[in-house]
Amino acid sequence: MSDLRLNATQLDRYSRHVIMDEIGPDGQQRLLESAVLVVGAGGLGSPAIQYLAAAGVGQLGIVDDDVVERSNLQRQIVHGDADVGRPKVESAADYVAALNPDLDVDTHDTRVTADTVADLVAGYDIVLDASDNFATRYLLNDHCVLTETPLFHGAIYRFEGQLTSFTNERGGDEPRPCYRCVFPEAPEPGTVPDCATTGVLGVLPGTVGCIQATEAVKYLLGKGDLLEGRLLMYDAMDMSFEEVPIRPNPSCPVCGDDPEIESVGDVAYEGTCGISAD
Amino acid sequence: MHVTVDVKGEDTYELELEAVAGAAADGEATGDPADATPTYADLLREVELSPHEVSVLVDGRPVPEDQPVESDHVTVLRLIKGG
């Protein structure tokens, strides 16, 4: 087995991929030529970054404006005790560099905003939403819908996870749902608890983030069936998975028949992520 | 009408719409329970959930919480934000 595009070290490193018919040298080359933006280097982002890096995704962008806190270490496994106080993007980038020198890592020590989202996402093939707040989640959804950028969604709460994938391909025979098709607006601030107030099982984001990475790799390879049109619910306490069918919503404010959102500038992302009154 | 409210990740509730209508009318002090038209928000109230924290789906699509209940099976999804 040989392929001139993969050098000997790469053929060795990725041999368990290359040997599979579904991936092979061409698929591995495709991964090496891919660019993925991971938004959030926390609970979900950590395992996703690890496995995307290990898989050989050639360009990884990591966005996060937080620094590592000791309370993160129970679940955010790209960071270690010595990283407490460091920017998460730096800690995550060091982890990736140690794991796989094949990759280019872009770090963005910033928060995604309506003003910055276009520049941050530009140049990446797909976006993995590992954020921990509704403002970022709705902003990424809206931008990715408007730019037809694939988005891989995950969220966690205590012992539960939610996952789905949005290819955001428009104009085809089969309409595709987006996050707002299911959740048209964010809840009022303060009405939905977060991990800091309710706690979260440390291993939970490992499972969910790995599934996000799995979906991303499948998409990049063009193989398998994605979670598009299906919201996967994971209950760690019951060790059960359940799929909820989700459909495109003709009334969706961003991808419906008569969308109100034509630009992320139309939305006030600080509150319920509804249409701005301006 | 019998309505199944499937709160994903939690419980499934079997409700009688007439009972929900009565409870809604009592809550709103409108007098005659028979005049009350239960909404999806009323269903949520019966299962002690707030419309702020969930999305109510019928056939895979969200329905406005203030709309009258027209389906015998609704799915309730929690909005979760952790990452």
Side-chain angles (χ1 to χ4, degrees):
Chain A
M1 181 187 316
S2 66
D3 187 290
L4 292 177
R5 293 176 299 170
L6 298 176
N7 62 38
T9 302
Q10 290 171 324
L11 283 170
D12 187 16
R13 173 184 290 275
Y14 304 117
S15 60
R16 291 342 185 241
H17 273 170
V18 171
I19 200 171
M20 290 195 290
D21 291 342
E22 294 82 355
I23 303 179
D26 289 342
Q28 187 59 55
Q29 187 64 37
R30 195 172 303 136
L31 292 177
L32 286 163
E33 292 170 355
S34 297
V36 176
L37 183 68
V38 179
V39 179
L44 295 173
S46 289
I49 289 165
Q50 288 180 318
Y51 275 99
L52 292 171
V57 169
Q59 185 182 357
L60 269 180
I62 305 172
V63 186
D64 202 309
D65 69 340
D66 278 343
V67 297
V68 178
E69 299 177 26
R70 189 156 281 106
S71 62
N72 299 151
L73 303 181
Q74 157 255 25
R75 64 198 180 283
Q76 301 183 15
I77 57 175
V78 288
H79 314 300
D81 201 68
D83 296 317
V84 171
R86 297 180 69 202
K88 286 184 177 179
V89 291
E90 288 184 10
S91 174
D94 286 350
Y95 183 96
V96 172
L99 175 64
N100 192 341
D102 261 355
L103 314 183
D104 293 326
V105 181
D106 312 316
T107 57
H108 307 278
D109 185 5
T110 185
R111 196 173 189 83
V112 185
T113 68
D115 291 333
T116 62
V117 66
D119 286 342
L120 286 170
V121 173
Y124 293 96
D125 300 309
I126 65 175
V127 176
L128 195 143
D129 175 11
S131 65
D132 63 356
N133 63 88
F134 287 119
T136 302
R137 187 151 289 150
Y138 279 82
L139 172 58
L140 289 176
N141 178 76
D142 296 348
H143 177 78
C144 288
V145 168
L146 294 169
T147 58
E148 300 192 21
T149 304
L151 176 66
F152 297 86
H153 164 78
I156 52 173
Y157 171 70
R158 289 171 51 81
F159 300 97
E160 302 168 23
Q162 288 181 359
L163 294 131
T164 189
S165 301
F166 306 112
T167 62
N168 287 320
E169 293 169 5
R170 307 290 159 199
D173 294 338
E174 190 177 339
R176 318 283 181 147
C178 79
Y179 187 75
R180 278 194 193 267
C181 288
V182 187
F183 301 111
E185 288 199 352
E188 294 286 346
T191 58
V192 171
D194 59 21
C195 295
T197 53
T198 65
V200 61
L201 182 69
V203 71
L204 175 72
T207 307
V208 175
C210 282
I211 296 175
Q212 287 181 272
T214 304
E215 288 285 283
V217 168
K218 283 162 50 188
Y219 177 84
L220 294 170
L221 291 170
K223 299 292 184 183
D225 294 324
L226 296 175
L227 273 174
E228 186 153 53
R230 300 180 285 157
L231 184 73
L232 183 64
M233 315 274 297
Y234 168 52
D235 186 328
M237 285 301 259
D238 294 342
M239 194 46 72
S240 63
F241 290 87
E242 183 177 9
E243 284 184 15
V244 180
I246 55 176
R247 299 168 61 202
N249 181 359
S251 303
C252 176
V254 67
C255 74
D257 294 341
D258 186 19
E260 301 166 83
I261 300 170
E262 296 180 343
S263 156
V264 295
D266 296 338
V267 181
Y269 288 99
E270 290 76 20
T272 61
C273 303
I275 308 300
S276 173
D278 297 337
Chain B
M1 185 168 74
H2 186 85
V3 181
T4 301
V5 181
D6 184 4
V7 184
K8 292 297 181 186
E10 298 178 27
D11 294 317
T12 299
Y13 301 85
E14 306 292 340
L15 303 177
E16 293 300 330
L17 211 53
E18 293 72 18
V20 176
D26 290 345
E28 294 166 11
T30 55
D32 184 359
D35 290 340
T37 304
T39 64
Y40 292 103
D42 294 328
L43 286 186
L44 292 178
R45 195 174 301 114
E46 279 294 296
V47 300
E48 300 182 345
L49 288 171
S50 161
H52 294 300
E53 59 187 334
V54 299
S55 185
V56 180
L57 305 186
V58 172
D59 295 331
R61 287 178 178 151
V63 289
E65 284 82 6
D66 59 357
Q67 293 296 302
V69 178
E70 294 177 342
S71 174
D72 61 2
H73 190 107
V74 303
T75 300
V76 178
L77 293 177
R78 269 190 190 278
L79 277 141
I80 62 176
K81 70 175 178 179

mmCIF file of all heavy atoms in Angstrom, chain B residues 27-68:
data_model
loop_
_atom_site.group_PDB
_atom_site.id
_atom_site.type_symbol
_atom_site.label_atom_id
_atom_site.label_comp_id
_atom_site.label_asym_id
_atom_site.label_seq_id
_atom_site.Cartn_x
_atom_site.Cartn_y
_atom_site.Cartn_z
ATOM 1 N N GLY B 27 -57.275 28.308 36.619
ATOM 2 C CA GLY B 27 -56.118 29.178 36.814
ATOM 3 C C GLY B 27 -56.369 30.583 36.329
ATOM 4 O O GLY B 27 -55.863 31.559 36.894
ATOM 5 N N GLU B 28 -57.154 30.699 35.271
ATOM 6 C CA GLU B 28 -57.406 32.032 34.720
ATOM 7 C C GLU B 28 -58.690 32.637 35.244
ATOM 8 O O GLU B 28 -59.057 33.754 34.876
ATOM 9 C CB GLU B 28 -57.471 31.931 33.186
ATOM 10 C CG GLU B 28 -56.140 31.540 32.578
ATOM 11 C CD GLU B 28 -56.276 31.107 31.121
ATOM 12 O OE1 GLU B 28 -57.365 31.315 30.553
ATOM 13 O OE2 GLU B 28 -55.317 30.567 30.581
ATOM 14 N N ALA B 29 -59.419 31.875 36.109
ATOM 15 C CA ALA B 29 -60.652 32.349 36.732
ATOM 16 C C ALA B 29 -61.635 32.853 35.689
ATOM 17 O O ALA B 29 -62.245 33.905 35.822
ATOM 18 C CB ALA B 29 -60.356 33.457 37.743
ATOM 19 N N THR B 30 -61.782 32.057 34.612
ATOM 20 C CA THR B 30 -62.700 32.488 33.559
ATOM 21 C C THR B 30 -64.115 31.971 33.781
ATOM 22 O O THR B 30 -65.012 32.271 33.005
ATOM 23 C CB THR B 30 -62.216 31.992 32.187
ATOM 24 O OG1 THR B 30 -62.049 30.577 32.251
ATOM 25 C CG2 THR B 30 -60.920 32.657 31.807
ATOM 26 N N GLY B 31 -64.284 31.174 34.799
ATOM 27 C CA GLY B 31 -65.639 30.733 35.078
ATOM 28 C C GLY B 31 -65.913 29.350 34.546
ATOM 29 O O GLY B 31 -65.644 28.367 35.225
ATOM 30 N N ASP B 32 -66.430 29.249 33.360
ATOM 31 C CA ASP B 32 -66.879 27.977 32.832
ATOM 32 C C ASP B 32 -65.722 27.192 32.220
ATOM 33 O O ASP B 32 -65.162 27.602 31.202
ATOM 34 C CB ASP B 32 -67.936 28.233 31.768
ATOM 35 C CG ASP B 32 -68.534 26.924 31.245
ATOM 36 O OD1 ASP B 32 -68.092 25.856 31.702
ATOM 37 O OD2 ASP B 32 -69.440 27.008 30.391
ATOM 38 N N PRO B 33 -65.372 26.051 32.809
ATOM 39 C CA PRO B 33 -64.256 25.276 32.259
ATOM 40 C C PRO B 33 -64.496 24.854 30.821
ATOM 41 O O PRO B 33 -63.559 24.710 30.047
ATOM 42 C CB PRO B 33 -64.200 24.044 33.177
ATOM 43 C CG PRO B 33 -64.869 24.462 34.437
ATOM 44 C CD PRO B 33 -65.919 25.444 34.034
ATOM 45 N N ALA B 34 -65.746 24.658 30.457
ATOM 46 C CA ALA B 34 -66.032 24.195 29.101
ATOM 47 C C ALA B 34 -65.635 25.227 28.052
ATOM 48 O O ALA B 34 -65.409 24.892 26.889
ATOM 49 C CB ALA B 34 -67.518 23.879 28.966
ATOM 50 N N ASP B 35 -65.564 26.491 28.462
ATOM 51 C CA ASP B 35 -65.196 27.541 27.511
ATOM 52 C C ASP B 35 -63.687 27.648 27.313
ATOM 53 O O ASP B 35 -63.235 28.306 26.379
ATOM 54 C CB ASP B 35 -65.718 28.896 27.995
ATOM 55 C CG ASP B 35 -67.244 28.958 27.897
ATOM 56 O OD1 ASP B 35 -67.813 28.151 27.136
ATOM 57 O OD2 ASP B 35 -67.830 29.793 28.603
ATOM 58 N N ALA B 36 -62.934 27.043 28.215
ATOM 59 C CA ALA B 36 -61.485 27.197 28.131
ATOM 60 C C ALA B 36 -60.937 26.362 26.990
ATOM 61 O O ALA B 36 -61.346 25.219 26.794
ATOM 62 C CB ALA B 36 -60.847 26.765 29.446
ATOM 63 N N THR B 37 -60.031 26.946 26.237
ATOM 64 C CA THR B 37 -59.382 26.217 25.145
ATOM 65 C C THR B 37 -57.940 25.968 25.546
ATOM 66 O O THR B 37 -57.150 26.904 25.608
ATOM 67 C CB THR B 37 -59.406 27.040 23.848
ATOM 68 O OG1 THR B 37 -60.767 27.376 23.551
ATOM 69 C CG2 THR B 37 -58.807 26.245 22.707
ATOM 70 N N PRO B 38 -57.593 24.724 25.814
ATOM 71 C CA PRO B 38 -56.212 24.470 26.250
ATOM 72 C C PRO B 38 -55.210 24.779 25.152
ATOM 73 O O PRO B 38 -55.447 24.480 23.977
ATOM 74 C CB PRO B 38 -56.209 22.982 26.580
ATOM 75 C CG PRO B 38 -57.613 22.529 26.560
ATOM 76 C CD PRO B 38 -58.393 23.500 25.754
ATOM 77 N N THR B 39 -54.132 25.362 25.566
ATOM 78 C CA THR B 39 -53.040 25.657 24.643
ATOM 79 C C THR B 39 -51.856 24.754 24.984
ATOM 80 O O THR B 39 -51.856 24.061 26.013
ATOM 81 C CB THR B 39 -52.596 27.118 24.763
ATOM 82 O OG1 THR B 39 -52.073 27.311 26.088
ATOM 83 C CG2 THR B 39 -53.757 28.078 24.526
ATOM 84 N N TYR B 40 -50.844 24.804 24.114
ATOM 85 C CA TYR B 40 -49.645 24.034 24.415
ATOM 86 C C TYR B 40 -48.984 24.554 25.694
ATOM 87 O O TYR B 40 -48.382 23.778 26.434
ATOM 88 C CB TYR B 40 -48.687 24.073 23.223
ATOM 89 C CG TYR B 40 -49.235 23.324 22.033
ATOM 90 C CD1 TYR B 40 -49.790 23.996 20.946
ATOM 91 C CD2 TYR B 40 -49.244 21.934 22.015
ATOM 92 C CE1 TYR B 40 -50.310 23.310 19.864
ATOM 93 C CE2 TYR B 40 -49.775 21.235 20.939
ATOM 94 C CZ TYR B 40 -50.313 21.923 19.865
ATOM 95 O OH TYR B 40 -50.847 21.222 18.814
ATOM 96 N N ALA B 41 -49.133 25.827 25.979
ATOM 97 C CA ALA B 41 -48.610 26.362 27.239
ATOM 98 C C ALA B 41 -49.339 25.732 28.425
ATOM 99 O O ALA B 41 -48.728 25.472 29.475
ATOM 100 C CB ALA B 41 -48.755 27.884 27.269
ATOM 101 N N ASP B 42 -50.645 25.494 28.255
ATOM 102 C CA ASP B 42 -51.392 24.833 29.330
ATOM 103 C C ASP B 42 -50.866 23.414 29.563
ATOM 104 O O ASP B 42 -50.755 22.954 30.704
ATOM 105 C CB ASP B 42 -52.884 24.785 28.985
ATOM 106 C CG ASP B 42 -53.512 26.176 28.945
ATOM 107 O OD1 ASP B 42 -53.056 27.051 29.710
ATOM 108 O OD2 ASP B 42 -54.428 26.382 28.124
ATOM 109 N N LEU B 43 -50.556 22.733 28.466
ATOM 110 C CA LEU B 43 -49.980 21.389 28.612
ATOM 111 C C LEU B 43 -48.671 21.452 29.390
ATOM 112 O O LEU B 43 -48.419 20.637 30.276
ATOM 113 C CB LEU B 43 -49.708 20.764 27.239
ATOM 114 C CG LEU B 43 -50.876 20.260 26.407
ATOM 115 C CD1 LEU B 43 -50.341 19.544 25.166
ATOM 116 C CD2 LEU B 43 -51.771 19.329 27.192
ATOM 117 N N LEU B 44 -47.847 22.428 29.032
ATOM 118 C CA LEU B 44 -46.566 22.561 29.727
ATOM 119 C C LEU B 44 -46.777 22.833 31.209
ATOM 120 O O LEU B 44 -46.072 22.291 32.066
ATOM 121 C CB LEU B 44 -45.731 23.685 29.099
ATOM 122 C CG LEU B 44 -45.218 23.425 27.681
ATOM 123 C CD1 LEU B 44 -44.452 24.644 27.172
ATOM 124 C CD2 LEU B 44 -44.318 22.189 27.645
ATOM 125 N N ARG B 45 -47.754 23.678 31.499
ATOM 126 C CA ARG B 45 -48.042 23.996 32.901
ATOM 127 C C ARG B 45 -48.448 22.726 33.651
ATOM 128 O O ARG B 45 -48.038 22.517 34.791
ATOM 129 C CB ARG B 45 -49.161 25.047 32.967
ATOM 130 C CG ARG B 45 -49.293 25.716 34.317
ATOM 131 C CD ARG B 45 -50.301 26.854 34.290
ATOM 132 N NE ARG B 45 -49.941 27.897 33.321
ATOM 133 C CZ ARG B 45 -50.631 28.187 32.228
ATOM 134 N NH1 ARG B 45 -51.756 27.535 31.954
ATOM 135 N NH2 ARG B 45 -50.241 29.139 31.414
ATOM 136 N N GLU B 46 -49.207 21.875 32.986
ATOM 137 C CA GLU B 46 -49.640 20.627 33.624
ATOM 138 C C GLU B 46 -48.455 19.734 33.980
ATOM 139 O O GLU B 46 -48.514 18.958 34.931
ATOM 140 C CB GLU B 46 -50.576 19.851 32.686
ATOM 141 C CG GLU B 46 -52.006 20.334 32.698
ATOM 142 C CD GLU B 46 -52.677 20.085 34.037
ATOM 143 O OE1 GLU B 46 -52.841 18.928 34.431
ATOM 144 O OE2 GLU B 46 -53.039 21.096 34.692
ATOM 145 N N VAL B 47 -47.406 19.800 33.179
ATOM 146 C CA VAL B 47 -46.244 18.940 33.462
ATOM 147 C C VAL B 47 -45.117 19.751 34.116
ATOM 148 O O VAL B 47 -43.974 19.292 34.181
ATOM 149 C CB VAL B 47 -45.742 18.233 32.186
ATOM 150 C CG1 VAL B 47 -46.855 17.355 31.605
ATOM 151 C CG2 VAL B 47 -45.264 19.220 31.134
ATOM 152 N N GLU B 48 -45.505 20.939 34.599
ATOM 153 C CA GLU B 48 -44.602 21.777 35.403
ATOM 154 C C GLU B 48 -43.336 22.180 34.649
ATOM 155 O O GLU B 48 -42.226 22.091 35.156
ATOM 156 C CB GLU B 48 -44.265 21.071 36.721
ATOM 157 C CG GLU B 48 -45.512 20.799 37.566
ATOM 158 C CD GLU B 48 -45.196 20.148 38.907
ATOM 159 O OE1 GLU B 48 -44.067 19.658 39.069
ATOM 160 O OE2 GLU B 48 -46.084 20.162 39.767
ATOM 161 N N LEU B 49 -43.536 22.577 33.407
ATOM 162 C CA LEU B 49 -42.429 23.132 32.630
ATOM 163 C C LEU B 49 -42.785 24.537 32.171
ATOM 164 O O LEU B 49 -43.967 24.864 31.984
ATOM 165 C CB LEU B 49 -42.135 22.267 31.401
ATOM 166 C CG LEU B 49 -41.469 20.922 31.655
ATOM 167 C CD1 LEU B 49 -41.438 20.091 30.374
ATOM 168 C CD2 LEU B 49 -40.046 21.111 32.184
ATOM 169 N N SER B 50 -41.764 25.344 31.982
ATOM 170 C CA SER B 50 -41.969 26.705 31.501
ATOM 171 C C SER B 50 -41.707 26.770 30.000
ATOM 172 O O SER B 50 -40.755 26.146 29.505
ATOM 173 C CB SER B 50 -41.010 27.661 32.218
ATOM 174 O OG SER B 50 -40.882 28.860 31.485
ATOM 175 N N PRO B 51 -42.520 27.513 29.267
ATOM 176 C CA PRO B 51 -42.248 27.669 27.822
ATOM 177 C C PRO B 51 -40.864 28.258 27.545
ATOM 178 O O PRO B 51 -40.329 28.085 26.449
ATOM 179 C CB PRO B 51 -43.347 28.635 27.363
ATOM 180 C CG PRO B 51 -44.418 28.536 28.386
ATOM 181 C CD PRO B 51 -43.729 28.222 29.685
ATOM 182 N N HIS B 52 -40.287 28.937 28.544
ATOM 183 C CA HIS B 52 -38.960 29.536 28.342
ATOM 184 C C HIS B 52 -37.866 28.485 28.192
ATOM 185 O O HIS B 52 -36.819 28.747 27.604
ATOM 186 C CB HIS B 52 -38.597 30.440 29.518
ATOM 187 C CG HIS B 52 -39.471 31.642 29.643
ATOM 188 N ND1 HIS B 52 -39.590 32.579 28.654
ATOM 189 C CD2 HIS B 52 -40.282 32.038 30.642
ATOM 190 C CE1 HIS B 52 -40.436 33.522 29.038
ATOM 191 N NE2 HIS B 52 -40.882 33.209 30.232
ATOM 192 N N GLU B 53 -38.067 27.326 28.761
ATOM 193 C CA GLU B 53 -36.974 26.355 28.835
ATOM 194 C C GLU B 53 -37.112 25.193 27.863
ATOM 195 O O GLU B 53 -36.257 24.309 27.834
ATOM 196 C CB GLU B 53 -36.837 25.817 30.262
ATOM 197 C CG GLU B 53 -38.097 25.144 30.782
ATOM 198 C CD GLU B 53 -37.993 24.766 32.262
ATOM 199 O OE1 GLU B 53 -36.866 24.561 32.740
ATOM 200 O OE2 GLU B 53 -39.035 24.682 32.927
ATOM 201 N N VAL B 54 -38.197 25.180 27.089
ATOM 202 C CA VAL B 54 -38.428 24.038 26.204
ATOM 203 C C VAL B 54 -38.955 24.493 24.852
ATOM 204 O O VAL B 54 -39.375 25.636 24.674
ATOM 205 C CB VAL B 54 -39.461 23.049 26.808
ATOM 206 C CG1 VAL B 54 -38.973 22.482 28.130
ATOM 207 C CG2 VAL B 54 -40.823 23.700 26.949
ATOM 208 N N SER B 55 -38.940 23.552 23.909
ATOM 209 C CA SER B 55 -39.623 23.732 22.628
ATOM 210 C C SER B 55 -40.639 22.601 22.496
ATOM 211 O O SER B 55 -40.334 21.447 22.798
ATOM 212 C CB SER B 55 -38.608 23.690 21.487
ATOM 213 O OG SER B 55 -39.221 23.984 20.252
ATOM 214 N N VAL B 56 -41.841 22.941 22.076
ATOM 215 C CA VAL B 56 -42.900 21.945 21.893
ATOM 216 C C VAL B 56 -42.981 21.603 20.411
ATOM 217 O O VAL B 56 -43.187 22.495 19.576
ATOM 218 C CB VAL B 56 -44.260 22.480 22.385
ATOM 219 C CG1 VAL B 56 -45.339 21.413 22.190
ATOM 220 C CG2 VAL B 56 -44.177 22.897 23.839
ATOM 221 N N LEU B 57 -42.802 20.341 20.093
ATOM 222 C CA LEU B 57 -42.808 19.901 18.698
ATOM 223 C C LEU B 57 -44.023 19.029 18.407
ATOM 224 O O LEU B 57 -44.402 18.182 19.223
ATOM 225 C CB LEU B 57 -41.561 19.082 18.368
ATOM 226 C CG LEU B 57 -40.178 19.666 18.638
ATOM 227 C CD1 LEU B 57 -39.110 18.731 18.080
ATOM 228 C CD2 LEU B 57 -40.028 21.045 18.027
ATOM 229 N N VAL B 58 -44.588 19.253 17.250
ATOM 230 C CA VAL B 58 -45.607 18.360 16.702
ATOM 231 C C VAL B 58 -45.109 17.954 15.313
ATOM 232 O O VAL B 58 -44.813 18.824 14.479
ATOM 233 C CB VAL B 58 -46.985 19.046 16.611
ATOM 234 C CG1 VAL B 58 -47.971 18.156 15.856
ATOM 235 C CG2 VAL B 58 -47.514 19.371 17.996
ATOM 236 N N ASP B 59 -44.976 16.672 15.112
ATOM 237 C CA ASP B 59 -44.453 16.149 13.844
ATOM 238 C C ASP B 59 -43.102 16.779 13.486
ATOM 239 O O ASP B 59 -42.855 17.157 12.333
ATOM 240 C CB ASP B 59 -45.455 16.397 12.707
ATOM 241 C CG ASP B 59 -46.743 15.616 12.911
ATOM 242 O OD1 ASP B 59 -46.681 14.541 13.533
ATOM 243 O OD2 ASP B 59 -47.799 16.092 12.459
ATOM 244 N N GLY B 60 -42.253 16.920 14.483
ATOM 245 C CA GLY B 60 -40.894 17.383 14.239
ATOM 246 C C GLY B 60 -40.726 18.873 14.047
ATOM 247 O O GLY B 60 -39.642 19.330 13.697
ATOM 248 N N ARG B 61 -41.810 19.635 14.256
ATOM 249 C CA ARG B 61 -41.715 21.088 14.095
ATOM 250 C C ARG B 61 -42.271 21.779 15.330
ATOM 251 O O ARG B 61 -43.249 21.310 15.919
ATOM 252 C CB ARG B 61 -42.502 21.554 12.876
ATOM 253 C CG ARG B 61 -41.841 21.189 11.569
ATOM 254 C CD ARG B 61 -42.684 21.642 10.403
ATOM 255 N NE ARG B 61 -42.031 21.341 9.138
ATOM 256 C CZ ARG B 61 -42.669 21.097 8.002
ATOM 257 N NH1 ARG B 61 -43.986 21.127 7.963
ATOM 258 N NH2 ARG B 61 -42.004 20.843 6.894
ATOM 259 N N PRO B 62 -41.691 22.915 15.705
ATOM 260 C CA PRO B 62 -42.202 23.613 16.891
ATOM 261 C C PRO B 62 -43.560 24.250 16.627
ATOM 262 O O PRO B 62 -43.851 24.677 15.505
ATOM 263 C CB PRO B 62 -41.137 24.688 17.147
ATOM 264 C CG PRO B 62 -40.437 24.878 15.858
ATOM 265 C CD PRO B 62 -40.532 23.585 15.114
ATOM 266 N N VAL B 63 -44.371 24.271 17.666
ATOM 267 C CA VAL B 63 -45.667 24.939 17.586
ATOM 268 C C VAL B 63 -45.668 26.074 18.604
ATOM 269 O O VAL B 63 -45.077 25.957 19.672
ATOM 270 C CB VAL B 63 -46.832 23.967 17.874
ATOM 271 C CG1 VAL B 63 -46.996 22.982 16.732
ATOM 272 C CG2 VAL B 63 -46.630 23.221 19.182
ATOM 273 N N PRO B 64 -46.327 27.182 18.275
ATOM 274 C CA PRO B 64 -46.397 28.291 19.241
ATOM 275 C C PRO B 64 -47.139 27.844 20.502
ATOM 276 O O PRO B 64 -48.172 27.180 20.422
ATOM 277 C CB PRO B 64 -47.181 29.365 18.483
ATOM 278 C CG PRO B 64 -47.032 29.023 17.038
ATOM 279 C CD PRO B 64 -46.952 27.529 16.986
ATOM 280 N N GLU B 65 -46.581 28.228 21.641
ATOM 281 C CA GLU B 65 -47.159 27.770 22.910
ATOM 282 C C GLU B 65 -48.562 28.304 23.132
ATOM 283 O O GLU B 65 -49.346 27.723 23.876
ATOM 284 C CB GLU B 65 -46.261 28.169 24.080
ATOM 285 C CG GLU B 65 -45.016 27.309 24.238
ATOM 286 C CD GLU B 65 -43.895 27.749 23.319
ATOM 287 O OE1 GLU B 65 -44.057 28.796 22.647
ATOM 288 O OE2 GLU B 65 -42.867 27.054 23.248
ATOM 289 N N ASP B 66 -48.900 29.427 22.479
ATOM 290 C CA ASP B 66 -50.223 30.006 22.720
ATOM 291 C C ASP B 66 -51.290 29.452 21.771
ATOM 292 O O ASP B 66 -52.443 29.901 21.793
ATOM 293 C CB ASP B 66 -50.167 31.535 22.619
ATOM 294 C CG ASP B 66 -49.689 32.008 21.247
ATOM 295 O OD1 ASP B 66 -49.346 31.146 20.408
ATOM 296 O OD2 ASP B 66 -49.660 33.234 21.031
ATOM 297 N N GLN B 67 -50.910 28.467 20.966
ATOM 298 C CA GLN B 67 -51.884 27.885 20.044
ATOM 299 C C GLN B 67 -52.695 26.788 20.736
ATOM 300 O O GLN B 67 -52.186 26.097 21.619
ATOM 301 C CB GLN B 67 -51.167 27.267 18.840
ATOM 302 C CG GLN B 67 -50.489 28.281 17.950
ATOM 303 C CD GLN B 67 -51.486 29.228 17.299
ATOM 304 O OE1 GLN B 67 -52.383 28.793 16.600
ATOM 305 N NE2 GLN B 67 -51.340 30.519 17.568
ATOM 306 N N PRO B 68 -53.966 26.629 20.329
ATOM 307 C CA PRO B 68 -54.758 25.537 20.893
ATOM 308 C C PRO B 68 -54.161 24.178 20.542
ATOM 309 O O PRO B 68 -53.611 24.001 19.455
ATOM 310 C CB PRO B 68 -56.130 25.702 20.228
ATOM 311 C CG PRO B 68 -56.108 26.972 19.504
ATOM 312 C CD PRO B 68 -54.711 27.426 19.331
#
